[in-house]
Amino acid sequence: MLKILTFIRRSLKKSFDNIRNEQLKYNLLQAIPFWIGSVITGFLAVMYAKIFAWGENLLHFIMNWHSWMIFIIAPIGFVLSWWLVKEFAPNAKGSGIPQVMAAVELANPKEHTKIRSLLSLKIIFFKILSSVILVIGGGAVGREGPTIQIAGSVFRKVNEYLPHWWPKISKKNMIMTGAAAGLAAAFNTPLGGIVFAVEELSKTHINYFKTALFTAVIIAGLTAQTLAGSYLYLGYPKTHDVSLMVMFPITLVAGVAGILASQLSVTMLKMNDWKKRKLKTDKANIIFLVICALIIASIAYFINQEILGSGKEIMERVLFTKNKHEDWYVPILRMFGPALSFTSGGAGGIFAPALTAGASIGSVISGAIHLSPNETNVVVLAGMVAFLTGITRAPFTSAIIVLEMTDRHSLIFHLMLAGMVSSIASILVSRHSLYDVIKTNFLSEIRKD
């Protein structure tokens, strides 16, 4: 294998040496690593999505077969997911976005060697394995945040494998571009990927890497579409014939969702701190995980199965069927499930669960004030933007993602209003986002070593 790689490297060098135009040669050499990383990212994003969907379908099959099985598979799933991460890839836990944010900050001459603990091939493997096991066990997690860490790992490794004669590429730009490509491939939202890189990750002027960023997002998205087909993450909800008066319920839902999302973030951070202080042994952690799993299993068995999984079926039901109004307690379940799952120590993201929680809040409030079906759809989409903003504090990224996953471009101002109201409301609970605090924790741990 090593001989083959050496032969390929020598052949590439010889071919490029034959190019007479030095500027063209330099530009091509700069672009190729981004192209390679984007294709690999698109492929992995689609494969991961299929494996994750298989895990959710397996959970539903087991629940339909014998629902009491949740009391067996939930504890096994939670403990095994946590153990895999703890033993083999500690920094694969959780979403993956804080790890990428930390890696971007570490991408400087003094600390760049520490990035490998956050982004690596081992992280990719155990991120996928742990998150799929957790979702089979009923964990309320998503795959979108993990896809971003996977993509960041891919781009870092591509950069690392470049031969010594290759023009140097900024590690920071490579990681940020990879993260954007990962988000674009995960949701099929190219603009969302670009805005995410600028709003959430970038402290560098976009002019320095805009061409690489745009190209990577396009190639990753096209690769994903080639493998999975052209699709929308959700579909085309009906939103026509809605008056401007809908702005009032949008503002209400956005404020409520922003406050609840920020409170959920604070709760999860407090749970993490409590675990660090109190659960010093593996036995204590396992007991905690079994209790969490049994709580989720009990709610799923006795109250409502909608606490399980990423919750995408809730979004699809309230947007595309006549059954648009959830019971009042569903938003509570859709926050309670991620709180227990995200703090379990296994791998799994909170993007999709946040969207689901926001959709359920919009659904409940729409039912309470008797909105029409189309108005309900608009308010549900606003709730999704608002809750995601409350978690990420990235209102424009949240608005663009929901806009692209539903192709409702006429709602751009409605969704941006929801994001801005949520951004203001969420600050009333906590000044910092969930990702920022977790990123800071990762940085302090890594710099301590």
Side-chain angles (χ1 to χ4, degrees):
M1 186 66 182
L2 189 60
K3 289 183 178 179
I4 295 172
L5 286 173
T6 304
F7 173 75
I8 292 171
R9 285 183 176 185
R10 286 176 179 170
S11 300
L12 282 172
K13 187 176 187 306
K14 186 176 180 182
S15 299
F16 278 108
D17 285 342
N18 291 333
I19 298 175
R20 303 289 178 154
N21 188 317
E22 290 299 320
Q23 187 60 48
L24 174 61
K25 186 191 296 185
Y26 179 81
N27 290 340
L28 279 173
L29 288 172
Q30 283 275 303
I32 286 172
F34 291 97
W35 297 347
I36 294 171
S38 299
V39 171
I40 297 171
T41 293
F43 173 78
L44 286 178
V46 172
M47 294 303 104
Y48 183 28
K50 290 183 181 298
I51 296 168
F52 198 88
W54 171 83
E56 288 198 290
N57 291 335
L58 178 59
L59 171 64
H60 295 148
F61 171 79
I62 293 171
M63 291 297 292
N64 291 332
W65 177 47
H66 288 305
S67 56
W68 57 264
M69 287 284 290
I70 189 65
F71 290 100
I72 298 173
I73 62 172
I76 293 173
F78 271 65
V79 172
L80 183 56
S81 175
W82 161 80
W83 179 80
L84 285 169
V85 167
K86 174 189 170 293
E87 287 295 316
F88 301 106
N91 289 333
K93 65 184 176 183
S95 164
I97 294 175
Q99 290 93 316
V100 173
M101 293 168 69
V104 168
E105 200 157 319
L106 291 170
N108 59 69
K110 289 183 178 180
E111 299 179 300
H112 68 91
T113 55
K114 298 176 180 177
I115 296 173
R116 68 185 61 188
S117 67
L118 297 168
L119 304 174
S120 66
L121 296 179
K122 186 165 69 171
I123 290 283
I124 293 174
F125 179 78
F126 286 103
K127 193 81 179 182
I128 294 172
L129 184 60
S130 176
S131 62
V132 171
I133 289 172
L134 186 57
V135 83
I136 293 172
V141 294
R143 59 173 172 82
E144 293 75 23
T147 304
I148 291 171
Q149 189 180 13
I150 289 167
S153 298
V154 168
F155 273 69
R156 189 193 81 79
K157 293 305 289 186
V158 168
N159 195 18
E160 185 181 289
Y161 286 144
L162 295 178
H164 65 89
W165 51 267
W166 207 280
K168 298 300 179 187
I169 299 174
S170 163
K171 290 180 175 63
K172 180 179 290 187
N173 291 352
M174 200 77 176
I175 294 167
M176 286 191 293
T177 304
L183 182 63
F187 279 120
N188 192 26
T189 53
L191 286 177
I194 293 167
V195 175
F196 171 75
V198 175
E199 186 176 27
E200 192 74 272
L201 299 175
S202 179
K203 293 180 181 176
T204 308
H205 198 286
I206 192 173
N207 276 341
Y208 290 114
F209 69 110
K210 64 180 181 182
T211 303
L213 176 64
F214 296 159
T215 307
V217 164
I218 291 167
I219 293 174
L222 288 175
T223 303
Q225 285 195 6
T226 300
L227 296 171
S230 182
Y231 70 98
L232 290 179
Y233 186 85
L234 286 176
Y236 302 90
K238 294 178 181 178
T239 59
H240 57 273
D241 298 329
V242 173
S243 72
L244 278 176
M245 295 300 289
V246 79
M247 293 296 188
F248 292 104
I250 283 176
T251 303
L252 172 62
V253 168
V256 172
I259 289 170
L260 291 176
S262 192
Q263 188 58 59
L264 174 62
S265 300
V266 170
T267 301
M268 290 192 291
L269 291 170
K270 286 181 177 178
M271 288 177 68
N272 277 336
D273 288 341
W274 178 84
K275 280 181 63 184
K276 278 185 183 178
R277 286 185 287 106
K278 300 293 184 181
L279 307 183
K280 301 290 188 181
T281 65
D282 287 352
K283 182 180 178 181
N285 273 287
I286 291 171
I287 292 171
F288 171 77
L289 290 170
V290 170
I291 292 170
C292 289
L294 290 177
I295 290 171
I296 288 180
S298 298
I299 293 172
Y301 186 79
F302 293 110
I303 301 175
N304 196 321
Q305 291 186 18
E306 290 184 339
I307 192 174
L308 304 174
S310 66
K312 187 179 177 182
E313 66 278 0
I314 295 177
M315 291 185 273
E316 291 174 336
R317 185 176 64 256
V318 298
L319 287 172
F320 302 108
T321 72
K322 293 181 180 179
N323 184 15
K324 292 194 169 295
H325 303 302
E326 293 284 354
D327 294 321
W328 64 269
Y329 57 81
V330 171
I332 298 171
L333 298 186
R334 287 310 310 178
M335 289 184 283
F336 192 67
L340 295 180
S341 305
F342 193 72
T343 56
S344 68
I350 200 166
F351 253 70
L355 292 171
T356 303
S360 63
I361 292 169
S363 171
V364 169
I365 293 178
S366 296
I369 60 179
H370 307 293
L371 296 181
S372 70
N374 287 11
E375 288 171 334
T376 297
N377 285 347
V378 174
V379 172
V380 165
L381 294 176
M384 291 163 61
V385 171
F387 204 94
L388 187 57
T389 298
I391 295 288
T392 64
R393 306 299 170 85
F396 298 111
T397 299
S398 304
I400 294 299
I401 285 174
V402 174
L403 181 77
E404 287 190 283
M405 66 170 57
T406 56
D407 197 26
R408 301 293 85 177
H409 296 89
S410 60
L411 298 181
I412 179 64
F413 297 113
H414 303 70
L415 301 184
M416 287 177 67
L417 172 66
M420 294 309 297
V421 170
S422 172
S423 184
I424 294 167
S426 59
I427 293 174
L428 299 175
V429 178
S430 174
R431 290 176 58 84
H432 303 288
S433 76
L434 174 69
Y435 293 154
D436 278 330
V437 176
I438 297 176
K439 176 201 78 172
T440 302
N441 292 340
F442 274 117
L443 286 172
S444 62
E445 288 176 11
I446 290 170
R447 285 168 172 161
K448 201 185 301 179
D449 294 338

